Structure formats: structure tokens, C-alpha cells
Amino acid sequence: MKTEADHFFEKAQKWQEEFQLLREIICQNKSLEENYKWMHPCYTFGGKNIVLIHGFKDYCAILFHKGVLLNDRKGILIQQTENVQSARQIRFSNAEQIIKLKSIIINYISEAIEIETSGKKVALKKASDYPVPDEFQEVLKSDKDLKQAFYSLTQGRQKGYLFYFNQAKQSETRKNRIEKYYQRILAGKGLDD
């Protein structure tokens, strides 16, 4: 019976050859289990996420969930965006690049498993590390219910809101975002719940 990962590889319209190569390389490590998470093949060790295969318009990649902890001896790991704290990618634009880096990929996978086995954790930013926009501070000062609801949210939900509010370049946009999510915060929900 075919797995969801099998269907992913069969249905891929782009990067088919590259995906197959990456799958073969990753599956050489028999201690990894192939799963399907976030609509992509994800390889786990003891139930913990190690590496994921995904594709984009201009490149395909493998993503190491705790990539920031890897010793990137070859300087090939990429932080997707400035806000990604833990994960790191190795990007490819053709099959030849994957073949050339095969032994390095294998070594990085082994190191990622060692990191997971050791129990090392990534020190993530706390909600208090994110600035609270002036517009949101004003609302929190004048609305005690909202203030209590916001600070009762999990750290991750607080970070999500603060990041989203801070992304707006104009004050009016920040105010609109705060107003739009006011009821969700009161209901104890995160940005994407």
C-alpha cells in the first residue's frame, strides 16, 4: 500500500528527479522513519523530526529541523528567512548538485540524529524578546481584558501576534491588524488557530 509520501513523490510536477535522489540518500540511514508532515516527506528518529524534503519555484531543498545546531563545516546551510530560528536548508537547483553533495548530506543527517539523541535544544526567542508596537501598547493599557487575555496566551501565540503586528510598516495598518484580531485574542486563540 502506498504512503502519503509515495503519493507526494509521484505527484510532484517539478523536481521529480531531485526529490527521488534526496529520498534515496536520506533513506540510506535505516534509523530514520519516513513520514508525511506539513504536506511534505519528513524523516523522523524516535518520533522526532530530523529532515524534511520540500520544493519551491526556484529550488528544492532538505530542511534540518535543528539545523542551527549542526556544525556547518561546508557553509551550505541556509536560514530561510530572518525569522526562522531553528531550521536550516540545503538548497538545490539540479540533480548534479545533490550528487556532488551526497556524502556531506549523509554526514549532516548523521549529525542531526546525534543532536536529537543528545537532547540538545535550540534556544528560541521568548515573546518578551519581540517589541510591542506602540499602537498595541496603547490598546493594552486601556483594555485590561485584552491585556489579561494576551498575556495568558502561550509564548508562541504571543510571538505570532507581535511579529505580525510589527511587520506592518504603517501605523494605520498596525491598528487595523490589532482591531481585526482583537476578538481572537480575547477568545484565547492564536493568529492561525
Side-chain angles (χ1 to χ4, degrees), residues 47-177:
K48 302 290 187 180
N49 302 323
I50 302 296
V51 65
L52 177 136
I53 297 174
H54 56 172
F56 299 88
K57 180 182 174 189
D58 296 326
Y59 65 90
C60 65
I62 53 175
L63 179 132
F64 290 94
H65 291 271
K66 291 185 178 177
V68 72
L69 298 178
L70 290 172
N71 179 359
D72 188 17
R73 297 170 287 285
K74 299 296 182 180
I76 57 175
L77 293 175
I78 296 169
Q79 183 177 3
Q80 258 181 297
T81 69
E82 65 183 52
N83 300 304
V84 173
Q85 296 180 59
S86 180
R88 296 293 183 268
Q89 292 178 326
I90 302 176
R91 295 179 179 175
F92 310 97
S93 57
N94 58 55
E96 291 75 32
Q97 291 174 337
I98 296 168
I99 294 166
K100 183 179 172 188
L101 292 175
K102 179 180 177 179
S103 64
I104 295 167
I105 295 167
I106 291 169
N107 289 337
Y108 279 31
I109 291 168
S110 295
E111 185 180 347
I113 293 169
E114 287 173 24
I115 288 168
E116 196 56 57
T117 304
S118 75
K120 287 183 185 175
K121 303 275 185 211
V122 176
L124 300 174
K125 286 183 180 179
K126 296 178 181 150
S128 58
D129 295 331
Y130 289 81
V132 179
D134 293 339
E135 297 82 359
F136 194 47
Q137 283 180 355
E138 289 301 315
V139 175
L140 292 175
K141 272 189 216 173
S142 65
D143 189 329
K144 296 199 184 322
D145 291 338
L146 182 68
K147 183 176 182 176
Q148 182 179 352
F150 180 73
Y151 289 110
S152 295
L153 293 172
T154 63
Q155 287 282 309
R157 288 182 173 127
Q158 289 179 36
K159 287 188 283 188
Y161 281 119
L162 293 174
F163 175 74
Y164 182 65
F165 296 158
N166 279 307
Q167 288 300 104
K169 291 181 174 42
Q170 296 188 15
S171 178
E172 196 61 36
T173 306
R174 285 189 290 276
K175 288 177 184 175
N176 289 339
R177 288 181 178 186

Side-chain angles (χ1 to χ4, degrees), residues 21-34:
L21 274 170
L22 291 169
R23 185 185 202 188
E24 288 171 17
I25 292 168
I26 294 169
C27 287
Q28 285 181 14
N29 191 313
K30 301 299 181 198
S31 63
L32 292 176
E33 182 180 333
E34 185 175 70

